[in-house]
Amino acid sequence: MSDRIESIIDALRKKLLDAAIRGELVDQDNREEPASALLERIAAERSQLIREKKIKKPKSSSRIERRDGIFEVFPDGSEKDISGEIPFDIPKSWEWVRLGNYCQYGGVQSSLVINEPQDTWILDLEDIESQTGKILHYIYLAQRKSSSSKYRFSKGMVLYSKLRPYLNKVVVAEKDGYCTTEIVPVKLFAQAVPEYLKIVLTSPEYLLQINSSAYGVKMPRANAELLNSLLIPIPPSDEQLRIVDALERHLKQLDILRESHRRMRRILHETPTSLRQQLLQAAIEGKLVAQDPKEEPASALLVRIAKERAALPGKRKASPSSRIERRPGGIFELFPDGSEKDISDEIPFDIPESWEWVKLGAITYTVGSKSNQVLARNIEKAGKYPVVTQGAKLIDGYSNDGEKLLDSPPVIVFGDHTRVVKFIDFPFIIGADGTKCLKTIGASPKYVYWALSFISGRIPSRGYGRHYEFLNKQAIPLPPLQEQQRIVRRLEELLPLVSQA
């Protein structure tokens, strides 16, 4: 299953690259200058540079025209129908062009100069990550001294690895520097977008063409003649920018999905108990689901909770003894008498900006009392109502004593001597052995339950009858209400898989 998911992600990546070079990733805009105008500017700029002897004249040049068919027109006026060479259709505002006529493929070799600045960038093949084309290392002259021949490149050039082209080692230079001769600088003209050319060269369509013509067995190299003759699709300049932006966003989402899947695979090799704790930890650290900036923050939820508590009857409406504030200088607990305490050392991890730290007692109250408790051990299942005790860790017998029924679920049940935490959403009778029951105010009962389950599993035993007392003073992370609900749904999807691991 895991290999299949990786294959699906790889296939989606290829589909996105393919859509990008076919004009299917973003919409065309009739107001934008067509690609034909870009190619005219490229030809003019190139001719000027040739006249100034700043670049060499290409061995051959041509232009592509679309009529009843697709024709290549040469400088001597001759032409050739190349319709059979065109790999796919493109939008009307796009143009076909030979790679060698679109850019300057190849570089001028230059030995390193002894008076180069010490921060001169020298890029080797191993410094570029395969597939993604990201630069892994920034190696400078001071760390990699060499007098061997190199290619010099400028910021904005496309650096293409002609050695083992199947590795997709293509990158856009972020600064001037040198590179090994196995990496070829590609110079673009006019308003051509280098990131778009990188997309073309790493797309499945062109990767296949380049690899199929590579020469050499152990260390295959791209065929320079084929590279120059590649027919590549060119969108308008503005559309190139929009394609690059859209593709980056889509690929980032795939990278997030891949990393999430791989993290789950690593976790699945551990024990179910460990996996359960890691899922709960991700949930209460804000890493299980994405935050939504449009949702009301937890600070506003706490204001509503305070109002709801004030409307409760009797002792339940008593204000909590403190509240927690995050400031640039730390995390502080503020008390009713105006005093405060820096509790930064008590906070175990960072939480998202839209979340808040809160004491359990601020968002819950206890239900049940000695008057409605009954010791129900060894009672046969003769009545209707289950009796919840911590001794049995959940249900210990049944009773038909409806007068002692707690009929307002859901509640969170604590075993005050055993560290047991349970979520109960059916009417029940509380056992008389230190069982504590909590109802939440404003917050999702299920989210609070999962948060306390994680915290309870991490703390040491507090001694007989002190578990709830200790937990009630703990700070727990509180997300926005809608995010609490999304976290609960995600946990309920994943936790059953854990129990099967």
Side-chain angles (χ1 to χ4, degrees):
M1 175 62 76
S2 60
D3 290 341
R4 182 170 176 269
I5 293 174
E6 289 277 353
S7 297
I8 291 171
I9 294 172
D10 287 339
L12 287 172
R13 183 183 180 87
K14 291 176 181 177
K15 287 282 187 183
L16 286 169
L17 288 166
D18 193 55
I21 66 170
R22 292 173 181 261
E24 298 170 354
L25 192 64
V26 300
D27 293 330
Q28 282 71 54
D29 188 338
N30 295 331
R31 297 168 296 181
E32 292 177 352
E33 176 187 73
S36 56
L38 170 63
L39 293 183
E40 289 173 5
R41 287 199 304 277
I42 288 174
E45 181 179 329
R46 188 168 195 162
S47 296
Q48 180 65 30
L49 292 172
I50 291 171
R51 286 194 296 271
E52 295 173 357
K53 297 183 178 180
K54 292 182 177 179
I55 64 172
K56 292 181 179 180
K57 184 177 181 180
K59 292 181 180 180
S60 62
S61 61
S62 62
R63 71 179 190 277
I64 311 297
E65 290 186 2
R66 285 188 284 177
R67 306 177 208 147
D68 293 336
I70 299 178
F71 296 84
E72 185 168 11
V73 182
F74 300 95
D76 63 1
S78 63
E79 59 182 43
K80 176 185 177 184
D81 187 340
I82 59 170
S83 304
E85 297 181 39
I86 302 300
F88 48 81
D89 294 331
I90 55 174
K92 290 182 179 179
S93 58
W94 291 35
E95 295 292 339
W96 288 103
V97 66
R98 298 282 184 191
L99 179 64
N101 293 323
Y102 184 68
C103 57
Q104 185 82 13
Y105 177 79
V108 176
Q109 290 191 7
S110 173
S111 295
L112 296 180
V113 182
I114 196 164
N115 62 355
E116 284 282 357
Q118 289 298 296
D119 64 347
T120 298
W121 188 12
I122 305 175
L123 191 65
D124 207 342
L125 200 59
E126 65 187 23
D127 303 326
I128 304 174
E129 184 182 43
S130 297
Q131 301 299 327
T132 65
K134 294 178 181 177
I135 295 180
L136 298 174
H137 311 287
Y138 296 86
I139 307 299
Y140 299 110
L141 186 61
Q143 287 92 13
R144 185 183 289 174
K145 292 182 179 180
S146 172
S147 60
S148 62
S149 185
K150 305 286 182 186
Y151 281 138
R152 184 159 194 163
F153 60 81
S154 302
K155 179 180 178 181
M157 282 188 173
V158 176
L159 304 178
Y160 182 81
S161 169
K162 66 180 182 181
L163 179 66
R164 293 187 293 174
Y166 57 84
L167 292 177
N168 257 353
K169 291 195 172 188
V170 185
V171 68
V172 178
E174 299 174 6
K175 57 183 289 187
D176 298 352
Y178 290 90
C179 62
T180 159
T181 52
E182 300 299 347
I183 302 173
V184 182
V186 180
K187 177 180 175 58
L188 283 84
F189 306 97
Q191 283 79 44
V193 178
E195 290 81 7
Y196 173 75
L197 181 58
K198 175 186 172 182
I199 292 170
V200 173
L201 293 174
T202 57
S203 67
E205 174 71 36
Y206 289 93
L207 193 59
L208 179 62
Q209 290 188 49
I210 294 168
N211 284 330
S212 63
S213 66
Y215 62 93
V217 179
K218 291 184 178 180
M219 301 289 279
R221 286 170 167 76
N223 185 311
E225 185 176 343
L226 171 102
L227 283 168
N228 278 303
S229 66
L230 282 176
L231 281 167
I232 63 172
I234 302 300
S237 295
D238 290 340
E239 188 172 344
Q240 290 186 31
L241 291 170
R242 291 189 289 112
I243 289 170
V244 169
D245 180 65
L247 186 65
E248 284 181 351
R249 284 187 282 107
H250 293 317
L251 292 181
K252 184 177 180 180
Q253 291 301 313
L254 284 185
D255 288 341
I256 292 171
L257 178 61
R258 189 189 299 275
E259 179 54 34
S260 175
H261 168 62
R262 288 175 177 175
R263 184 167 59 247
M264 289 301 300
R265 285 178 62 186
R266 290 193 297 269
I267 293 172
L268 283 169
H269 283 87
E270 302 174 13
T271 65
T273 301
S274 175
L275 175 54
R276 182 179 186 276
Q277 283 296 94
Q278 290 196 44
L279 283 175
L280 293 179
Q281 182 170 354
I284 68 171
E285 290 185 1
K287 298 175 181 177
L288 192 64
V289 301
Q291 282 72 54
D292 187 341
K294 299 189 294 294
E295 292 177 353
E296 176 190 71
S299 56
L301 173 60
L302 286 176
V303 172
R304 285 206 314 279
I305 288 174
K307 292 179 180 178
E308 288 183 34
R309 177 182 283 280
L312 291 172
K315 295 180 179 179
R316 295 175 181 175
K317 67 179 179 182
S319 299
S321 59
S322 64
R323 61 186 175 86
I324 298 174
E325 275 190 8
R326 283 187 289 175
R327 304 175 192 161
I331 300 176
F332 295 84
E333 185 172 6
L334 281 61
F335 300 95
D337 62 2
S339 62
E340 60 182 44
K341 176 186 176 185
D342 188 339
I343 61 169
S344 303
D345 292 343
E346 299 176 25
I347 301 301
F349 48 80
D350 293 329
I351 55 174
E353 285 296 320
S354 58
W355 291 33
E356 295 290 338
W357 286 103
V358 63
K359 291 297 180 77
L360 177 62
I363 59 172
T364 63
Y365 62 88
T366 58
V367 291
S369 65
K370 290 183 178 179
S371 63
N372 73 345
Q373 292 176 355
V374 58
L375 182 60
R377 296 184 190 279
N378 302 320
I379 295 179
E380 294 183 0
K381 190 178 177 181
K384 297 181 180 179
Y385 311 117
V387 177
V388 173
T389 72
Q390 61 172 316
K393 298 189 176 181
L394 186 56
I395 297 175
D396 189 5
Y398 293 83
S399 170
N400 59 4
D401 192 344
E403 294 181 1
K404 298 175 181 179
L405 182 67
L406 187 62
D407 59 358
S408 58
V411 296
I412 301 167
V413 175
F414 286 90
D416 208 18
H417 316 324
T418 60
R419 292 201 303 167
V420 172
V421 183
K422 294 291 181 181
F423 181 84
I424 298 183
D425 57 1
F426 51 81
F428 66 98
I429 293 173
I430 305 172
D433 61 348
T435 305
K436 301 285 186 181
C437 299
L438 291 185
K439 287 188 72 70
T440 57
I441 309 170
S444 161
K446 265 288 180 70
Y447 170 78
V448 176
Y449 161 68
W450 290 124
L452 293 177
S453 295
F454 174 77
I455 294 170
S456 179
R458 294 287 294 268
I459 62 174
S461 175
R462 310 306 299 182
Y464 188 85
R466 296 189 59 198
H467 186 54
Y468 168 70
E469 176 188 341
F470 180 79
L471 277 179
N472 199 44
K473 297 177 182 178
Q474 297 303 296
I476 66 171
L478 188 72
L481 183 58
Q482 287 177 285
E483 189 171 345
Q484 292 177 39
Q485 294 162 348
R486 288 186 284 116
I487 288 170
V488 168
R489 287 196 295 271
R490 187 65 176 145
L491 282 172
E492 289 179 343
E493 291 171 357
L494 296 175
L495 286 172
L497 301 178
V498 173
S499 62
Q500 299 169 13

